[in-house]
Amino acid sequence: MPQNAQSFFNRHRETLEKAVAAIDSREYWTPYPESLKQYPEDAVKAAPQRFEALLRQPFALRKATAVAGQVGAEVSPYGFELGITYDQPEPAALIETMQAAMPAWRDAGAEARVGVCLEILARLNAMSPEIAQAVMHTSGQAPMMAFQAGGPHAQDRGLEAVAYAWQAMSRVPASAQWVKPQGKHDPLVLDKRYHIVPRGLSLVVACSTFPTWNTYPGLFASLATGNPVILKPHPGAILPVAMTARVAQEVLEEAGFDPCLVSLVPDTPEAPVAKTLALDPAVRLIDFTGSSAFGEWLECNATQAQVFTEKAGINSVIIDSVDSLKPVAQNLAFTLSLYAGQMCTTTQAIYVPRGGIETADGRLSFDEVAGALARAVEKFLADNDRACAVLGAIQSLATVERIAQCRALGEVLLDSEAREHPQFPRARVHTPLLLKVDADQKAAYSEERFGPISFIVATDDTRHSIALAREVIAEEGAITLGAYTTDEVVAAQFEELAMDIATPLSLNLDGGVFVNQSAAYSDFHATGGNPAATAALCDQAFVARRFVVVQSRRHGQAS
């Protein structure tokens, strides 16, 4: 093992051991603080200037292969052009170079690879304030969310993948002696060796809304198990992925490996390269987050690869009964407002019996429940400064257009408003659109409407709500399911529903935890069991398919 790689592993061994313990216990733990106060004050203060220093110039990586051209036309959702250009490698030359680098990375062994991955994550964590600026001005996330989700929470998901990879690889011994008794005769003896062999090149197709959080699991799961990684960022959110690639290349080079083991391949909307890369025979692993259309295309066409997708779904909440509607409405108001609904976990369909629900204070009608939800969102976002700090900015113009198009799909309970950001007057800031529909208007709420768009669906009763959620999620998938009831019999029905449709359940959340939040080391993000995703972040299946075990055996002498 190269000396630096060994030192990296030794340096971070305790972190790795605690991560492995956390994924076994599922208890709360993190090595990466989510409060800016726990990072050096100088680094936090300097982050905006460091981000500014990256603008309006080429972004250089450590490893240069044959360059096909320069790309880059990122525009901050807060209203200005980044002006950064990036080299676009010539795909065939890059793939050849990466394949040539793979044997040394494979042969270095699990400790070396895991040590490098842990050092990359440690350096990314130190850069979290700076990465937050890049995430904010590509995804549109508000500052605190960009820091937490783009920095420590993304790093948590990366470390979680490394821990699972280490656990899986550690269970394969390097060698064994097999001795089979033969009665009066000498035993049969075989000396066996076992090799962790990567599948091949890994392609990670990143999304625009969570360019690090959704990228790090695939990146680190593949890299730790020996697979070189091609990072293909979304054209609108290249910078956070490019910064990640640069750190990875620096660490790889310091450890004595070819930095091309992590390579960046940016493209443009006019000339996309993801399909070309995905169909290359050398690409044997693909991680994708984004639209169902492209995810399903990958699943159907990239048949030479193991494909891990996170796509669209109809995240749902079923309200049967509550002790008090006020805290429930406040909880859901935050869920619907956070990042203007641009999360893969945001609730779209809220099922409520048209006859109303029971509360500790008596029965409330459907309209009273729907009105309370609308007023809770309106009140939560009444202060414009707080609203902008929660909503962030809309990443894509297509999402702004979708808000306008969806107004006709139901009765408007709460209209979406454009807000002016106090610091960035050209930012695309929009509040949630809340619509009332009847259960028979299935076409309205059973198709994903990405963005701050949600439906309160009037059903016959809770049994009908469960049946509708079951039907819609079985057809379209979901990543989150929320439910509210004061009846343990109904709670058991919700639990059974969650298992039947393979969707994580959050029951009776009315405090500081929200259905659209997911905690690394404890929560399995998605399940891979319904149409919304083919994998969970993170479990053993997410990493174990990224390598194979090749054995050799020869006659030996019994010891």
Side-chain angles (χ1 to χ4, degrees):
M1 183 193 304
Q3 185 174 355
N4 278 354
Q6 181 66 62
S7 68
F8 291 154
F9 183 82
N10 293 339
R11 182 183 305 166
H12 302 294
R13 181 191 289 270
E14 183 179 356
T15 298
L16 176 64
E17 291 172 349
K18 288 181 177 179
V20 170
I23 61 175
D24 283 342
S25 71
R26 315 310 293 182
E27 296 174 354
Y28 172 77
W29 175 80
T30 179
Y32 307 127
E34 63 176 9
S35 170
L36 276 168
K37 294 179 180 179
Q38 293 178 267
Y39 290 78
E41 185 177 354
D42 290 347
V44 174
K45 288 182 177 180
Q49 289 74 33
R50 289 176 177 167
F51 168 72
E52 180 69 27
L54 297 172
L55 304 181
R56 298 175 292 279
Q57 61 181 306
F59 187 98
L61 291 174
R62 307 281 289 189
K63 178 73 175 184
T65 58
V67 176
Q70 281 72 41
V71 299
E74 293 160 290
V75 178
S76 170
Y78 290 90
F80 60 90
E81 295 181 359
L82 272 59
I84 304 173
T85 57
Y86 308 86
D87 286 344
Q88 184 184 60
E90 198 285 314
L94 176 65
I95 287 172
E96 183 178 353
T97 302
M98 295 180 77
Q99 285 181 304
M102 184 164 60
W105 183 239
R106 176 198 66 202
D107 295 344
E111 283 195 9
R113 295 193 300 269
V114 167
V116 167
C117 288
L118 294 171
E119 179 66 16
I120 294 169
L121 284 163
R123 294 189 191 185
L124 289 171
N125 178 249
M127 290 176 57
S128 292
E130 185 178 343
I131 290 174
Q133 293 289 315
V135 171
M136 174 182 173
H137 287 294
T138 52
S139 72
Q141 293 177 26
M144 184 51 66
M145 185 178 189
F147 167 72
Q148 292 182 336
H153 293 175
Q155 296 145 17
D156 277 328
R157 284 298 184 188
L159 176 57
E160 178 183 53
V162 173
Y164 272 109
W166 172 252
Q167 199 175 58
M169 292 185 293
S170 297
R171 288 172 177 166
V172 180
S175 62
Q177 187 172 76
W178 183 85
V179 181
K180 183 178 181 180
Q182 297 295 297
K184 296 180 180 180
H185 301 285
D186 291 339
L188 297 176
V189 181
L190 290 175
D191 290 333
K192 302 184 180 185
R193 299 176 66 189
Y194 303 94
H195 306 279
I196 301 293
V197 176
R199 286 190 176 271
L201 268 59
S202 172
L203 171 65
V204 180
V205 183
C207 66
S208 60
T209 47
F210 286 87
T212 56
W213 197 98
N214 278 109
T215 298
Y216 287 5
L219 163 61
F220 286 102
S222 285
L223 194 63
T225 51
N227 306 276
V229 181
I230 299 171
L231 296 174
K232 209 300 291 180
H234 188 282
I238 303 173
L239 182 58
V241 183
M243 294 169 72
T244 299
R246 184 152 68 184
V247 172
Q249 290 188 350
E250 289 172 354
V251 176
L252 284 162
E253 191 170 54
E254 287 178 28
F257 298 104
D258 192 323
C260 82
L261 287 165
V262 175
S263 290
L264 183 77
V265 182
D267 62 358
T268 67
E270 297 76 23
V273 300
K275 285 187 176 182
T276 301
L277 292 170
L279 296 180
D280 193 289
V283 172
R284 305 303 300 275
L285 297 165
I286 300 174
D287 289 90
F288 168 76
T289 303
S291 71
S292 291
F294 191 64
E296 289 166 4
W297 183 92
L298 288 170
E299 292 163 10
C300 293
N301 292 278
T303 54
Q304 87 288 352
Q306 300 284 318
V307 179
F308 306 85
T309 59
E310 183 185 304
K311 302 169 291 188
I314 312 301
N315 299 316
S316 305
V317 164
I318 302 172
I319 302 179
D320 168 72
S321 55
V322 298
D323 283 326
S324 174
L325 183 58
K326 183 177 179 180
V328 170
Q330 291 173 334
N331 185 280
L332 291 175
F334 183 85
T335 291
L336 300 179
S337 301
L338 184 62
Y339 188 30
Q342 298 171 99
M343 302 175 67
C344 59
T345 51
T346 300
T347 301
Q348 177 172 301
I350 302 172
Y351 298 98
V352 180
R354 64 171 56 87
I357 65 170
E358 292 293 340
T359 76
D361 298 320
R363 193 165 190 84
L364 294 177
S365 70
F366 173 89
D367 285 337
E368 287 175 318
V369 175
L373 290 173
R375 287 192 298 275
V377 174
E378 190 172 31
K379 183 176 181 180
F380 180 59
L381 300 176
D383 180 87
N384 191 61
D385 287 354
R386 180 168 76 169
C388 292
V390 173
L391 294 166
I394 300 292
Q395 202 284 329
S396 170
L397 286 170
T399 303
V400 177
E401 295 167 359
R402 189 176 302 114
I403 296 170
Q405 295 163 359
C406 287
R407 286 190 175 98
L409 295 177
E411 178 185 332
V412 176
L413 288 170
L414 182 67
D415 203 359
S416 176
E417 302 173 347
R419 295 289 183 87
E420 181 170 331
H421 196 283
Q423 186 178 354
F424 302 100
R426 297 177 63 188
R428 295 188 291 264
V429 182
H430 293 263
T431 64
L433 171 67
L434 199 56
L435 300 165
K436 182 173 102 173
V437 297
D438 195 76
D440 62 10
Q441 295 173 265
K442 187 179 172 185
Y445 61 85
S446 66
E447 176 183 331
E448 190 196 36
R449 316 287 182 179
F450 185 76
I453 303 157
S454 297
F455 300 84
I456 302 181
V457 184
T459 66
D460 296 341
D461 51 29
T462 295
R463 185 185 300 272
H464 188 208
S465 296
I466 291 173
L468 280 173
R470 184 190 307 275
E471 180 181 333
V472 170
I473 294 173
E475 293 173 355
E476 305 295 332
I479 293 177
T480 61
L481 171 67
Y484 292 88
T485 185
T486 58
D487 187 330
E488 283 302 317
V489 173
V490 178
Q493 294 171 0
F494 289 146
E495 197 89 22
E496 183 176 1
L497 170 66
M499 290 187 288
D500 289 346
I501 58 178
T503 305
L505 172 67
S506 296
L507 188 63
N508 294 334
L509 297 186
D510 60 2
V513 178
F514 307 92
V515 69
N516 50 340
Q517 294 177 325
S518 178
Y521 317 109
S522 184
D523 292 329
F524 295 101
H525 176 77
T527 64
N530 69 59
T534 62
L537 303 180
C538 185
D539 60 12
Q540 279 288 355
F542 187 71
V543 299
R545 288 190 285 158
R546 296 172 192 266
F547 67 89
V548 298
V549 179
V550 177
Q551 73 170 36
S552 65
R553 57 186 183 172
R554 63 177 66 185
H555 289 295
Q557 297 294 323
S559 54

